[in-house]
Amino acid sequence: YDGQYWRGRALLGLGRWAEAQASFAAATDARAGDARAWGGVAYALSRQGRHAEAVAAWERAIAADRNYFAYGMREFDDIPGEK
């Protein structure tokens, strides 16, 4: 899980959205109820313009941890071009 999650984070920093999404998806395969991994999937999907899928992934993140959204919005602030 950790390797896939952090690989996804690194790929986000490089703007490689589809690859990041795949890494986060692999992390959700390992831990289906992990809000951070679902948030990564959602963020990467959103950056690809796949907004309906991103909303569904955000819903999975929030279902896993109802407090995640507020944290998740700050979690990706360090991605280049996000501030």
Side-chain angles (χ1 to χ4, degrees), residues 1-82:
Y1 164 85
D2 287 334
Q4 290 296 332
Y5 176 81
W6 289 108
R7 181 176 186 274
R9 289 291 306 228
L11 290 164
L12 288 179
L14 297 172
R16 293 164 57 181
W17 316 123
E19 291 172 82
Q21 177 206 339
S23 287
F24 289 125
T28 66
D29 288 343
R31 284 192 200 160
D34 188 80
R36 285 189 327 157
W38 281 111
V41 170
Y43 183 85
L45 285 166
S46 179
R47 291 306 301 249
Q48 293 174 76
R50 297 167 61 183
H51 303 296
E53 293 170 272
V55 168
W58 279 121
E59 289 172 349
R60 296 283 303 262
I62 294 166
D65 178 353
R66 65 185 179 96
N67 297 311
Y68 176 76
F69 192 76
Y71 167 76
M73 295 310 294
R74 291 187 308 275
E75 181 178 19
F76 299 108
D77 281 348
D78 63 343
I79 305 302
E82 288 306 304

